[in-house]
Amino acid sequence: MSVTFRKLALVGIGLIGSSIALAARRQNLVETIAIATRRAETLAEARALDLGDIYTLDAAEAVRGADLVILCAPVGAYGALAEAIGPFLEPGAIVSDVGSVKEHVVKVVGPHVPEGVHFIPGHPIAGTEHSGPSAGFAELFAGRWCVLTPGADVPAAATARLVAFWQAMGSMVECMDAAHHDMVLAITSHIPHLIAYNIVGTVADLEADTKSEVIKFSASGFRDFTRIAASDPVMWRDVFLTNRDAVLEMLGRFNEDLSVLQRAVRTGDGPALEALFTRTRAIRRSIISAGQETAAPDFGRPHEAAPPATPLPVRDHGGGDDA
Ligand code: NAP
């Protein structure tokens, strides 16, 4: 099975698009990389980083002659992008994406994919809270899962080719149904982001005095929420607009469990609290033994003997935001 593609078109060149460009180039998976994005500044940044071979503000031009097209823009932009590129897709090409929701993508992109083009939605469960072309790095997908949701009409050989592409970039790949993906990601990624946005938003509304103490003592838990809550606002807006049903379903369950916890706190039910916290600790251990997190104290953050005069540059991607 050849993993090599003649021309890869990346439509959108932020964190995920640029990481694909770097990983595919490093692994020699593509001959030519065409990059399309919306704004001239972003295109210039991608060019300065030497991420591809062809640079354009016209997505249709980028996909002409491509045998692999990957949409790497926020999900809310997919419908218009698919409509623009649809007539220019090459017969036999694979069209995929990296969006954090999948049923919506099938709904808005699917109708624009012509007969003879293989549409295989995808989602690398890898990311950071940083955005833009310079946020990307070739190792982003190493050891991370990538979910593909091919429809029943996609030939097995096309799916196998895309699976091999992601594996060559270091990912572990699993194929599943789009609706199942959305339900699983609602609880593992979307609800945790909603909780982080909510708790950080609550702090933002606190009285000024309390707020400064929260910032000062943030290492006691709050800080980890702020990292997630610093994720790209447009991307996450689109996630909640397009995975509404699964998020609401999981939020319902979350609220039920929160009420149980609230009651345990109110009634001083120590055994119930301890039993839950023991179960949750076991889940963290199983994530570490699955290689999806580091067991290092404080998430492996470097600790200096004395605090540095200026903040250290943060490149904390070990937490594996998704996305
Ligand atoms: P990003 O760094 O913000 O980059 C987004 C890219 O899409 C930029 O090139 C941007 O172009 C382009 N874009 C934005 N709005 C557009 C529009 N309306 N029409 C055309 N292009 C547009 O985003 P990202 O983090 O790479 O995320 C891209 C996709 O990956 C999203 O669908 C997200 O759900 C998915 N994803 C993200 C993560 C994560 O952790 N970040 C993880 C897995 C999957 P301009 O700068 O030129 O406007």
Side-chain angles (χ1 to χ4, degrees), residues 27-74:
Q27 299 306 119
N28 224 356
L29 306 177
V30 289
E31 287 169 26
T32 303
I33 299 177
I35 290 170
T37 191
R38 180 180 52 167
R39 293 181 303 135
E41 304 93 275
T42 308
L43 199 64
E45 195 180 336
R47 196 193 294 269
L49 292 162
D50 198 21
L51 292 174
D53 307 291
I54 299 167
Y55 301 89
T56 174
L57 292 173
D58 180 2
E61 187 190 327
V63 308
R64 270 205 195 93
D67 48 353
L68 177 59
V69 174
I70 308 182
L71 299 179
C72 302

Side-chain angles (χ1 to χ4, degrees), residues 96-98 121-126 141 143-149 162-163 165-167 169-176 181:
S96 189
D97 79 302
V98 293
H123 177 202
I125 318 287
F141 310 113
R144 301 283 174 195
W145 284 98
C146 178
V147 174
L148 300 180
T149 64
L162 191 59
V163 167
F165 177 79
W166 279 103
Q167 285 173 337
M169 292 195 293
S171 282
M172 305 170 290
V173 182
E174 187 149 320
C175 292
M176 65 176 71
H181 165 278

Side-chain angles (χ1 to χ4, degrees), residues 275-298:
L276 175 68
F277 302 163
T278 305
R279 267 200 298 138
T280 55
R281 185 178 240 197
I283 288 178
R284 169 141 184 99
R285 287 188 178 139
S286 57
I287 291 172
I288 291 166
S289 48
Q292 296 297 302
E293 175 60 296
T294 170
D298 202 9

